Amino acid sequence: MFEDKYNAGKALRNKVARSLQADYKMAKGRPTVLQMINSSNYDRIPDLIPVRHFRMSKSPFVFYRATASFMARDLAPSPISGIQVQACGDCHLMNFGGFATPERHLVVDINDFDETNPGPWEWDVKRLAASFILAGREKNFSEDSANDLVAELMMAYTEKLNLFASMKLLDLWHVRFDLEQIAAQTKEERIKEKLAKAITKANKVTHDHVFYKITSNNLGKFQINEQPPLIKRPINLEESMDMINTFMDHYKSTLQPDRKLLLDQYEIIDVALKVVGVGSVGTRCYVVLLINDNHEPLLMQVKEARESVLAPYAGASPYKHFGERIVQGQRQIQAASDMFLGWATGPAGRHFYFRQLRDKKMTPDIESYDKFLLTAYARLCGGILARAHCKTGMGPQICGYIGKSDSFTKAISRFATAYADQTEKDFGAFGKAIKAGKLPILDS
């Protein structure tokens, strides 16, 4: 069966040669950067749009993280093999990180699924590769060194793809990138030391730790601290509490019965609007504080779910509810997902999904990485993405299409460089629009 699927993937090279994956040309009639930014700001909270622009203005790499919609549009006319997977949709290097599984193991995996949708597997690979070129440039690597990152990324992706595609599916679905195991198995002392520090730090980011960091005790009642404009408690708290409570029951219905029983032991105490990330700034994201009878805290994130940026070009998800699209996509791709992952419909018909806030969460410290560490990280990301693509059953076909030569790797490297150039041009146009007063920005 593997051979049949492999040969089917290999035959697709006759339709789209691997070398064609290098192609990138700006499509005729592409909207201006100003038009695309304004379009992506649709229905965001107006007061937070200047915050979004401020965060995006840091560098081309940060701008890239916030403009997945640009790339989806630009990838639409590009050559595709025809192999579809459950795509991450926004597969850049900062959307990988560590977190605790329900069994309390620390793993590293893709951890942002706001844009997940069925789509071409190449789009994930290309977006991830371009992010490493941009990260290398931000760190003033030479062009050759930045391309080396992509070569290592693709080597790991291909190696792991062949391994995972030949595994039994049940075994594959149990594969996890356990951080303690990775640390124990690595022979590189610098990596071992870096992981040990990261694991120690992550183990401290418990609900209690976060609870005491973002809340205060006001006359015997805990409440979330304000940090305007990044964390704002609503003017009408009672109205916002009612809003959260109205769709809490709907959300609980999407959980397994045992997890619903657990959540029923907690009561909502406070709620606040919280600015998160870069691309999500301006969407409606809430932090919800719950406490049980034993005065044990639980912090939840309620995040607005919008249409995937892939949908207009790759086709709509089978899930009509955008929150369900995110949750079900995450469950397909990740090795282990948040035990409280669920979805609900809120006021004005807006879609939301729920998850725990910062449960032993780890974010890669790219700023401190030199080429050696960033190369190791690229290989890790490549392996994780390979497993994600194989979990949807398309691994053998992708293996067949890529084959044993480096033709596909070279094509992806050329594409990533070309698209990084495009991103830098877009970033320049973005900066000009800000200077011209056409885009509001937070006064720093």
Side-chain angles (χ1 to χ4, degrees), residues 191-249:
I191 297 175
K192 191 184 292 288
E193 181 182 344
K194 197 77 174 177
L195 286 174
K197 289 180 179 178
I199 291 168
T200 299
K201 183 178 178 180
N203 280 325
K204 295 177 181 178
V205 187
T206 62
H207 278 293
D208 285 344
H209 171 82
V210 179
F211 171 67
Y212 288 111
K213 185 176 180 180
I214 72 169
T215 67
S216 58
N217 190 332
N218 185 13
L219 299 176
K221 184 175 181 180
F222 283 97
Q223 63 182 32
I224 299 168
N225 297 325
E226 284 198 295
Q227 300 175 29
L230 304 183
I231 300 179
K232 294 177 66 175
R233 299 177 70 250
I235 296 173
N236 190 331
L237 177 60
E238 185 176 343
E239 182 180 295
S240 293
M241 293 279 284
D242 288 343
M243 181 269 289
I244 294 291
N245 278 307
T246 54
F247 66 109
M248 201 69 175
D249 285 342

Tab-separated table of all heavy atoms in Angstrom, residues 191-249:
chain	number	residue	atom	x	y	z
A	191	ILE	N	22.866	22.498	23.389
A	191	ILE	CA	21.423	22.245	23.233
A	191	ILE	C	20.858	21.673	24.524
A	191	ILE	O	19.778	22.067	24.974
A	191	ILE	CB	21.168	21.293	22.044
A	191	ILE	CG1	21.632	21.940	20.733
A	191	ILE	CG2	19.685	20.930	21.965
A	191	ILE	CD1	21.531	21.036	19.524
A	192	LYS	N	21.584	20.745	25.125
A	192	LYS	CA	21.142	20.137	26.377
A	192	LYS	C	20.967	21.216	27.462
A	192	LYS	O	19.978	21.224	28.199
A	192	LYS	CB	22.167	19.090	26.824
A	192	LYS	CG	21.710	18.196	27.970
A	192	LYS	CD	22.827	17.265	28.396
A	192	LYS	CE	23.156	16.240	27.353
A	192	LYS	NZ	22.093	15.208	27.227
A	193	GLU	N	21.931	22.137	27.527
A	193	GLU	CA	21.871	23.202	28.524
A	193	GLU	C	20.704	24.155	28.255
A	193	GLU	O	19.993	24.546	29.184
A	193	GLU	CB	23.185	23.987	28.509
A	193	GLU	CG	23.248	25.119	29.520
A	193	GLU	CD	24.552	25.891	29.437
A	193	GLU	OE1	25.519	25.395	28.822
A	193	GLU	OE2	24.600	27.013	29.976
A	194	LYS	N	20.500	24.491	26.983
A	194	LYS	CA	19.410	25.388	26.614
A	194	LYS	C	18.052	24.766	26.954
A	194	LYS	O	17.154	25.426	27.490
A	194	LYS	CB	19.479	25.699	25.120
A	194	LYS	CG	18.676	26.899	24.670
A	194	LYS	CD	19.381	28.181	25.020
A	194	LYS	CE	18.666	29.380	24.443
A	194	LYS	NZ	19.310	30.658	24.837
A	195	LEU	N	17.907	23.488	26.640
A	195	LEU	CA	16.646	22.796	26.921
A	195	LEU	C	16.405	22.670	28.422
A	195	LEU	O	15.272	22.821	28.889
A	195	LEU	CB	16.648	21.417	26.263
A	195	LEU	CG	16.467	21.388	24.746
A	195	LEU	CD1	16.645	19.972	24.217
A	195	LEU	CD2	15.091	21.926	24.341
A	196	ALA	N	17.455	22.394	29.176
A	196	ALA	CA	17.306	22.255	30.635
A	196	ALA	C	16.787	23.550	31.253
A	196	ALA	O	15.893	23.538	32.109
A	196	ALA	CB	18.636	21.860	31.264
A	197	LYS	N	17.337	24.681	30.802
A	197	LYS	CA	16.883	25.975	31.313
A	197	LYS	C	15.436	26.246	30.901
A	197	LYS	O	14.638	26.748	31.699
A	197	LYS	CB	17.791	27.092	30.796
A	197	LYS	CG	19.180	27.092	31.417
A	197	LYS	CD	20.026	28.230	30.855
A	197	LYS	CE	21.409	28.255	31.497
A	197	LYS	NZ	22.265	29.339	30.933
A	198	ALA	N	15.100	25.909	29.652
A	198	ALA	CA	13.743	26.133	29.165
A	198	ALA	C	12.729	25.274	29.915
A	198	ALA	O	11.633	25.729	30.252
A	198	ALA	CB	13.669	25.840	27.664
A	199	ILE	N	13.087	24.036	30.185
A	199	ILE	CA	12.194	23.125	30.915
A	199	ILE	C	11.984	23.618	32.341
A	199	ILE	O	10.849	23.623	32.854
A	199	ILE	CB	12.759	21.693	30.899
A	199	ILE	CG1	12.673	21.109	29.479
A	199	ILE	CG2	12.014	20.794	31.881
A	199	ILE	CD1	13.449	19.819	29.301
A	200	THR	N	13.064	24.042	32.990
A	200	THR	CA	12.952	24.569	34.357
A	200	THR	C	12.034	25.787	34.393
A	200	THR	O	11.175	25.911	35.271
A	200	THR	CB	14.343	24.949	34.898
A	200	THR	OG1	15.159	23.782	34.937
A	200	THR	CG2	14.234	25.534	36.297
A	201	LYS	N	12.207	26.669	33.425
A	201	LYS	CA	11.385	27.871	33.364
A	201	LYS	C	9.922	27.527	33.101
A	201	LYS	O	9.015	28.068	33.735
A	201	LYS	CB	11.915	28.800	32.273
A	201	LYS	CG	11.180	30.128	32.175
A	201	LYS	CD	11.804	31.008	31.088
A	201	LYS	CE	11.039	32.329	30.967
A	201	LYS	NZ	11.633	33.198	29.905
A	202	ALA	N	9.684	26.601	32.162
A	202	ALA	CA	8.313	26.231	31.806
A	202	ALA	C	7.589	25.580	32.979
A	202	ALA	O	6.397	25.808	33.187
A	202	ALA	CB	8.317	25.287	30.605
A	203	ASN	N	8.306	24.773	33.759
A	203	ASN	CA	7.676	24.096	34.894
A	203	ASN	C	7.200	25.066	35.975
A	203	ASN	O	6.385	24.708	36.829
A	203	ASN	CB	8.645	23.074	35.498
A	203	ASN	CG	8.686	21.782	34.703
A	203	ASN	OD1	7.667	21.346	34.167
A	203	ASN	ND2	9.857	21.172	34.619
A	204	LYS	N	7.713	26.287	35.923
A	204	LYS	CA	7.277	27.301	36.886
A	204	LYS	C	6.025	28.045	36.425
A	204	LYS	O	5.369	28.712	37.225
A	204	LYS	CB	8.405	28.310	37.128
A	204	LYS	CG	9.631	27.720	37.799
A	204	LYS	CD	10.734	28.757	37.946
A	204	LYS	CE	11.969	28.171	38.597
A	204	LYS	NZ	13.072	29.163	38.694
A	205	VAL	N	5.701	27.928	35.128
A	205	VAL	CA	4.555	28.655	34.581
A	205	VAL	C	3.288	27.827	34.791
A	205	VAL	O	2.671	27.326	33.856
A	205	VAL	CB	4.766	28.989	33.083
A	205	VAL	CG1	3.640	29.897	32.577
A	205	VAL	CG2	6.102	29.672	32.878
A	206	THR	N	2.918	27.668	36.045
A	206	THR	CA	1.712	26.939	36.416
A	206	THR	C	0.543	27.906	36.518
A	206	THR	O	0.703	29.130	36.447
A	206	THR	CB	1.907	26.243	37.764
A	206	THR	OG1	2.152	27.267	38.756
A	206	THR	CG2	3.093	25.290	37.722
A	207	HIS	N	-0.660	27.372	36.728
A	207	HIS	CA	-1.828	28.237	36.920
A	207	HIS	C	-1.632	29.142	38.137
A	207	HIS	O	-1.983	30.328	38.096
A	207	HIS	CB	-3.096	27.394	37.082
A	207	HIS	CG	-3.679	26.945	35.787
A	207	HIS	ND1	-4.229	27.823	34.877
A	207	HIS	CD2	-3.788	25.715	35.234
A	207	HIS	CE1	-4.658	27.145	33.822
A	207	HIS	NE2	-4.402	25.877	34.012
A	208	ASP	N	-1.052	28.591	39.206
A	208	ASP	CA	-0.834	29.409	40.401
A	208	ASP	C	0.131	30.557	40.114
A	208	ASP	O	-0.082	31.687	40.548
A	208	ASP	CB	-0.278	28.544	41.546
A	208	ASP	CG	-1.348	27.665	42.175
A	208	ASP	OD1	-2.541	27.937	41.951
A	208	ASP	OD2	-0.985	26.698	42.875
A	209	HIS	N	1.211	30.258	39.383
A	209	HIS	CA	2.197	31.284	39.061
A	209	HIS	C	1.567	32.414	38.243
A	209	HIS	O	1.744	33.599	38.549
A	209	HIS	CB	3.355	30.649	38.285
A	209	HIS	CG	4.330	31.645	37.719
A	209	HIS	ND1	5.335	32.201	38.464
A	209	HIS	CD2	4.428	32.181	36.473
A	209	HIS	CE1	6.025	33.043	37.711
A	209	HIS	NE2	5.492	33.043	36.502
A	210	VAL	N	0.853	32.034	37.200
A	210	VAL	CA	0.227	33.040	36.337
A	210	VAL	C	-0.859	33.784	37.101
A	210	VAL	O	-1.024	35.005	36.963
A	210	VAL	CB	-0.349	32.376	35.068
A	210	VAL	CG1	-1.025	33.417	34.185
A	210	VAL	CG2	0.747	31.662	34.294
A	211	PHE	N	-1.586	33.051	37.931
A	211	PHE	CA	-2.668	33.649	38.726
A	211	PHE	C	-2.149	34.805	39.587
A	211	PHE	O	-2.690	35.906	39.571
A	211	PHE	CB	-3.291	32.563	39.605
A	211	PHE	CG	-4.260	33.064	40.634
A	211	PHE	CD1	-5.465	33.631	40.266
A	211	PHE	CD2	-3.958	32.956	41.987
A	211	PHE	CE1	-6.354	34.091	41.223
A	211	PHE	CE2	-4.841	33.405	42.948
A	211	PHE	CZ	-6.050	33.972	42.558
A	212	TYR	N	-1.075	34.559	40.330
A	212	TYR	CA	-0.545	35.608	41.209
A	212	TYR	C	0.164	36.714	40.433
A	212	TYR	O	0.324	37.822	40.941
A	212	TYR	CB	0.385	34.992	42.257
A	212	TYR	CG	-0.369	34.212	43.304
A	212	TYR	CD1	-0.258	32.824	43.374
A	212	TYR	CD2	-1.227	34.855	44.198
A	212	TYR	CE1	-0.979	32.096	44.321
A	212	TYR	CE2	-1.946	34.138	45.145
A	212	TYR	CZ	-1.819	32.763	45.209
A	212	TYR	OH	-2.546	32.055	46.141
A	213	LYS	N	0.535	36.417	39.192
A	213	LYS	CA	1.211	37.419	38.376
A	213	LYS	C	0.230	38.407	37.762
A	213	LYS	O	0.543	39.600	37.638
A	213	LYS	CB	2.012	36.726	37.264
A	213	LYS	CG	2.863	37.669	36.427
A	213	LYS	CD	3.691	36.887	35.430
A	213	LYS	CE	4.558	37.827	34.589
A	213	LYS	NZ	5.393	37.086	33.607
A	214	ILE	N	-0.953	37.944	37.380
A	214	ILE	CA	-1.867	38.832	36.648
A	214	ILE	C	-3.107	39.226	37.448
A	214	ILE	O	-3.977	39.900	36.919
A	214	ILE	CB	-2.294	38.209	35.296
A	214	ILE	CG1	-3.273	37.041	35.491
A	214	ILE	CG2	-1.097	37.783	34.476
A	214	ILE	CD1	-3.916	36.592	34.202
A	215	THR	N	-3.200	38.794	38.708
A	215	THR	CA	-4.368	39.155	39.515
A	215	THR	C	-3.937	39.863	40.794
A	215	THR	O	-2.772	39.849	41.177
A	215	THR	CB	-5.195	37.917	39.901
A	215	THR	OG1	-4.427	37.091	40.798
A	215	THR	CG2	-5.610	37.123	38.682
A	216	SER	N	-4.900	40.485	41.451
A	216	SER	CA	-4.667	41.096	42.759
A	216	SER	C	-5.880	40.840	43.635
A	216	SER	O	-6.990	40.568	43.144
A	216	SER	CB	-4.427	42.607	42.624
A	216	SER	OG	-5.525	43.235	41.994
A	217	ASN	N	-5.664	40.903	44.938
A	217	ASN	CA	-6.724	40.660	45.919
A	217	ASN	C	-7.310	42.000	46.348
A	217	ASN	O	-6.646	42.808	46.987
A	217	ASN	CB	-6.150	39.918	47.122
A	217	ASN	CG	-7.237	39.413	48.062
A	217	ASN	OD1	-8.314	40.009	48.142
A	217	ASN	ND2	-6.948	38.339	48.768
A	218	ASN	N	-8.548	42.228	45.976
A	218	ASN	CA	-9.227	43.480	46.292
A	218	ASN	C	-10.334	43.214	47.309
A	218	ASN	O	-11.399	42.727	46.965
A	218	ASN	CB	-9.802	44.104	45.014
A	218	ASN	CG	-10.419	45.466	45.260
A	218	ASN	OD1	-10.219	46.079	46.319
A	218	ASN	ND2	-11.183	45.950	44.285
A	219	LEU	N	-10.023	43.495	48.576
A	219	LEU	CA	-10.999	43.298	49.659
A	219	LEU	C	-11.510	41.853	49.683
A	219	LEU	O	-12.711	41.601	49.823
A	219	LEU	CB	-12.170	44.274	49.510
A	219	LEU	CG	-11.795	45.769	49.561
A	219	LEU	CD1	-13.027	46.626	49.305
A	219	LEU	CD2	-11.155	46.119	50.907
A	220	GLY	N	-10.570	40.916	49.555
A	220	GLY	CA	-10.934	39.514	49.642
A	220	GLY	C	-11.447	38.904	48.351
A	220	GLY	O	-11.787	37.719	48.325
A	221	LYS	N	-11.475	39.712	47.284
A	221	LYS	CA	-11.948	39.193	46.001
A	221	LYS	C	-10.864	39.390	44.954
A	221	LYS	O	-10.370	40.504	44.757
A	221	LYS	CB	-13.222	39.918	45.562
A	221	LYS	CG	-13.812	39.353	44.276
A	221	LYS	CD	-15.133	40.019	43.930
A	221	LYS	CE	-15.727	39.423	42.666
A	221	LYS	NZ	-17.028	40.069	42.315
A	222	PHE	N	-10.477	38.290	44.283
A	222	PHE	CA	-9.439	38.384	43.268
A	222	PHE	C	-9.999	38.951	41.967
A	222	PHE	O	-11.134	38.655	41.581
A	222	PHE	CB	-8.820	37.008	43.008
A	222	PHE	CG	-7.858	36.582	44.073
A	222	PHE	CD1	-8.264	35.737	45.102
A	222	PHE	CD2	-6.548	37.045	44.062
A	222	PHE	CE1	-7.379	35.358	46.094
A	222	PHE	CE2	-5.654	36.657	45.045
A	222	PHE	CZ	-6.068	35.817	46.067
A	223	GLN	N	-9.169	39.775	41.324
A	223	GLN	CA	-9.555	40.300	40.024
A	223	GLN	C	-8.314	40.428	39.138
A	223	GLN	O	-7.190	40.508	39.633
A	223	GLN	CB	-10.247	41.653	40.149
A	223	GLN	CG	-9.386	42.763	40.739
A	223	GLN	CD	-10.153	44.067	40.886
A	223	GLN	OE1	-11.351	44.072	41.130
A	223	GLN	NE2	-9.446	45.176	40.726
A	224	ILE	N	-8.537	40.428	37.840
A	224	ILE	CA	-7.451	40.527	36.878
A	224	ILE	C	-6.942	41.963	36.847
A	224	ILE	O	-7.730	42.913	36.796
A	224	ILE	CB	-7.932	40.083	35.480
A	224	ILE	CG1	-8.400	38.616	35.521
A	224	ILE	CG2	-6.833	40.264	34.445
A	224	ILE	CD1	-9.158	38.175	34.282
A	225	ASN	N	-5.616	42.116	36.902
A	225	ASN	CA	-5.034	43.457	36.888
A	225	ASN	C	-5.108	44.076	35.493
A	225	ASN	O	-4.876	43.389	34.495
A	225	ASN	CB	-3.559	43.410	37.316
A	225	ASN	CG	-3.385	42.919	38.731
A	225	ASN	OD1	-4.212	43.201	39.593
A	225	ASN	ND2	-2.315	42.173	38.982
A	226	GLU	N	-5.380	45.356	35.468
A	226	GLU	CA	-5.398	46.073	34.195
A	226	GLU	C	-3.987	46.510	33.821
A	226	GLU	O	-3.186	46.903	34.669
A	226	GLU	CB	-6.302	47.300	34.276
A	226	GLU	CG	-7.769	46.969	34.224
A	226	GLU	CD	-8.613	48.181	33.871
A	226	GLU	OE1	-8.646	49.130	34.669
A	226	GLU	OE2	-9.231	48.169	32.794
A	227	GLN	N	-3.687	46.450	32.516
A	227	GLN	CA	-2.457	46.987	31.946
A	227	GLN	C	-2.810	47.631	30.615
A	227	GLN	O	-2.459	47.126	29.545
A	227	GLN	CB	-1.417	45.882	31.746
A	227	GLN	CG	-0.987	45.154	32.999
A	227	GLN	CD	-0.053	43.996	32.685
A	227	GLN	OE1	0.687	43.995	31.705
A	227	GLN	NE2	-0.098	42.969	33.525
A	228	PRO	N	-3.564	48.759	30.650
A	228	PRO	CA	-4.032	49.384	29.411
A	228	PRO	C	-2.857	49.747	28.492
A	228	PRO	O	-1.795	50.163	28.990
A	228	PRO	CB	-4.738	50.645	29.904
A	228	PRO	CG	-5.053	50.376	31.342
A	228	PRO	CD	-3.941	49.500	31.844
A	229	PRO	N	-3.002	49.566	27.160
A	229	PRO	CA	-4.191	49.047	26.490
A	229	PRO	C	-4.146	47.535	26.286
A	229	PRO	O	-4.984	46.988	25.580
A	229	PRO	CB	-4.138	49.767	25.143
A	229	PRO	CG	-2.656	49.833	24.861
A	229	PRO	CD	-1.989	50.049	26.195
A	230	LEU	N	-3.161	46.838	26.912
A	230	LEU	CA	-2.958	45.421	26.626
A	230	LEU	C	-3.890	44.506	27.410
A	230	LEU	O	-4.278	43.450	26.919
A	230	LEU	CB	-1.498	45.035	26.899
A	230	LEU	CG	-0.448	45.875	26.140
A	230	LEU	CD1	0.943	45.360	26.419
A	230	LEU	CD2	-0.742	45.869	24.650
A	231	ILE	N	-4.230	44.865	28.628
A	231	ILE	CA	-5.222	44.121	29.412
A	231	ILE	C	-6.204	45.143	29.980
A	231	ILE	O	-5.798	46.045	30.722
A	231	ILE	CB	-4.581	43.319	30.563
A	231	ILE	CG1	-3.569	42.298	30.031
A	231	ILE	CG2	-5.668	42.597	31.371
A	231	ILE	CD1	-2.880	41.491	31.121
A	232	LYS	N	-7.452	45.020	29.610
A	232	LYS	CA	-8.457	45.980	30.059
A	232	LYS	C	-9.670	45.237	30.600
A	232	LYS	O	-10.251	44.396	29.907
A	232	LYS	CB	-8.879	46.897	28.909
A	232	LYS	CG	-7.779	47.819	28.406
A	232	LYS	CD	-8.235	48.656	27.226
A	232	LYS	CE	-9.326	49.646	27.627
A	232	LYS	NZ	-9.685	50.540	26.503
A	233	ARG	N	-10.000	45.553	31.819
A	233	ARG	CA	-11.223	44.984	32.370
A	233	ARG	C	-12.387	45.800	31.821
A	233	ARG	O	-12.304	47.023	31.698
A	233	ARG	CB	-11.193	45.026	33.899
A	233	ARG	CG	-10.013	44.215	34.447
A	233	ARG	CD	-9.876	44.259	35.947
A	233	ARG	NE	-10.963	43.527	36.595
A	233	ARG	CZ	-11.928	44.096	37.283
A	233	ARG	NH1	-11.966	45.406	37.403
A	233	ARG	NH2	-12.851	43.362	37.855
A	234	PRO	N	-13.485	45.161	31.469
A	234	PRO	CA	-14.607	45.877	30.848
A	234	PRO	C	-15.224	46.912	31.778
A	234	PRO	O	-15.225	46.735	33.003
A	234	PRO	CB	-15.601	44.758	30.519
A	234	PRO	CG	-15.231	43.637	31.424
A	234	PRO	CD	-13.755	43.728	31.641
A	235	ILE	N	-15.725	47.979	31.183
A	235	ILE	CA	-16.385	49.033	31.962
A	235	ILE	C	-17.598	48.460	32.689
A	235	ILE	O	-17.820	48.711	33.867
A	235	ILE	CB	-16.797	50.203	31.041
A	235	ILE	CG1	-15.548	50.864	30.448
A	235	ILE	CG2	-17.630	51.229	31.819
A	235	ILE	CD1	-15.853	51.920	29.412
A	236	ASN	N	-18.356	47.653	31.953
A	236	ASN	CA	-19.529	47.011	32.540
A	236	ASN	C	-19.192	45.540	32.770
A	236	ASN	O	-19.418	44.694	31.913
A	236	ASN	CB	-20.752	47.162	31.626
A	236	ASN	CG	-22.035	46.716	32.302
A	236	ASN	OD1	-22.018	45.847	33.177
A	236	ASN	ND2	-23.148	47.305	31.913
A	237	LEU	N	-18.596	45.252	33.945
A	237	LEU	CA	-18.158	43.891	34.241
A	237	LEU	C	-19.326	42.923	34.275
A	237	LEU	O	-19.248	41.810	33.759
A	237	LEU	CB	-17.413	43.856	35.579
A	237	LEU	CG	-16.944	42.478	36.051
A	237	LEU	CD1	-15.986	41.864	35.054
A	237	LEU	CD2	-16.286	42.580	37.429
A	238	GLU	N	-20.432	43.349	34.876
A	238	GLU	CA	-21.587	42.462	35.001
A	238	GLU	C	-22.091	42.039	33.631
A	238	GLU	O	-22.418	40.866	33.400
A	238	GLU	CB	-22.700	43.159	35.781
A	238	GLU	CG	-23.902	42.254	36.062
A	238	GLU	CD	-24.956	42.946	36.927
A	238	GLU	OE1	-24.627	43.965	37.563
A	238	GLU	OE2	-26.089	42.439	36.948
A	239	GLU	N	-22.119	42.981	32.692
A	239	GLU	CA	-22.587	42.675	31.336
A	239	GLU	C	-21.639	41.693	30.653
A	239	GLU	O	-22.079	40.756	29.983
A	239	GLU	CB	-22.672	43.974	30.529
A	239	GLU	CG	-23.190	43.781	29.113
A	239	GLU	CD	-23.255	45.110	28.361
A	239	GLU	OE1	-24.047	45.979	28.771
A	239	GLU	OE2	-22.495	45.271	27.390
A	240	SER	N	-20.313	41.897	30.833
A	240	SER	CA	-19.333	40.995	30.220
A	240	SER	C	-19.374	39.607	30.850
A	240	SER	O	-19.224	38.601	30.160
A	240	SER	CB	-17.931	41.586	30.365
A	240	SER	OG	-17.815	42.761	29.608
A	241	MET	N	-19.601	39.561	32.164
A	241	MET	CA	-19.731	38.265	32.836
A	241	MET	C	-20.945	37.516	32.307
A	241	MET	O	-20.886	36.300	32.065
A	241	MET	CB	-19.853	38.482	34.353
A	241	MET	CG	-18.594	39.036	34.993
A	241	MET	SD	-17.367	37.766	35.314
A	241	MET	CE	-18.082	36.985	36.751
A	242	ASP	N	-22.014	38.240	32.103
A	242	ASP	CA	-23.223	37.621	31.547
A	242	ASP	C	-22.933	37.084	30.148
A	242	ASP	O	-23.401	36.003	29.772
A	242	ASP	CB	-24.372	38.624	31.494
A	242	ASP	CG	-24.934	38.950	32.872
A	242	ASP	OD1	-24.670	38.171	33.809
A	242	ASP	OD2	-25.632	39.975	33.006
A	243	MET	N	-22.155	37.863	29.380
A	243	MET	CA	-21.819	37.451	28.025
A	243	MET	C	-21.036	36.146	28.038
A	243	MET	O	-21.309	35.223	27.274
A	243	MET	CB	-21.008	38.561	27.335
A	243	MET	CG	-20.617	38.265	25.891
A	243	MET	SD	-19.014	37.445	25.735
A	243	MET	CE	-17.910	38.784	26.184
A	244	ILE	N	-20.033	36.056	28.931
A	244	ILE	CA	-19.230	34.832	29.026
A	244	ILE	C	-20.108	33.664	29.480
A	244	ILE	O	-20.042	32.555	28.930
A	244	ILE	CB	-18.058	35.022	30.003
A	244	ILE	CG1	-17.057	36.045	29.460
A	244	ILE	CG2	-17.364	33.697	30.288
A	244	ILE	CD1	-16.284	35.591	28.254
A	245	ASN	N	-20.965	33.909	30.451
A	245	ASN	CA	-21.811	32.840	30.989
A	245	ASN	C	-22.829	32.334	29.978
A	245	ASN	O	-23.168	31.147	29.978
A	245	ASN	CB	-22.527	33.312	32.255
A	245	ASN	CG	-21.649	33.203	33.488
A	245	ASN	OD1	-21.101	32.145	33.768
A	245	ASN	ND2	-21.492	34.301	34.216
A	246	THR	N	-23.305	33.230	29.089
A	246	THR	CA	-24.335	32.826	28.136
A	246	THR	C	-23.849	31.760	27.166
A	246	THR	O	-24.626	30.923	26.721
A	246	THR	CB	-24.858	34.031	27.324
A	246	THR	OG1	-23.759	34.690	26.713
A	246	THR	CG2	-25.637	35.001	28.186
A	247	PHE	N	-22.558	31.817	26.812
A	247	PHE	CA	-22.111	30.773	25.887
A	247	PHE	C	-21.184	29.750	26.533
A	247	PHE	O	-20.606	28.897	25.877
A	247	PHE	CB	-21.492	31.380	24.617
A	247	PHE	CG	-20.211	32.148	24.773
A	247	PHE	CD1	-19.029	31.628	24.297
A	247	PHE	CD2	-20.194	33.412	25.333
A	247	PHE	CE1	-17.840	32.333	24.400
A	247	PHE	CE2	-19.020	34.129	25.425
A	247	PHE	CZ	-17.838	33.587	24.966
A	248	MET	N	-21.075	29.801	27.884
A	248	MET	CA	-20.282	28.803	28.595
A	248	MET	C	-20.907	27.410	28.460
A	248	MET	O	-20.204	26.409	28.288
A	248	MET	CB	-20.168	29.180	30.070
A	248	MET	CG	-19.006	28.536	30.788
A	248	MET	SD	-17.423	29.176	30.209
A	248	MET	CE	-16.299	28.344	31.331
A	249	ASP	N	-22.219	27.342	28.531
A	249	ASP	CA	-22.889	26.050	28.414
A	249	ASP	C	-22.680	25.438	27.027
A	249	ASP	O	-22.493	24.226	26.890
A	249	ASP	CB	-24.383	26.193	28.709
A	249	ASP	CG	-24.660	26.371	30.191
A	249	ASP	OD1	-23.765	26.054	31.003
A	249	ASP	OD2	-25.765	26.831	30.540
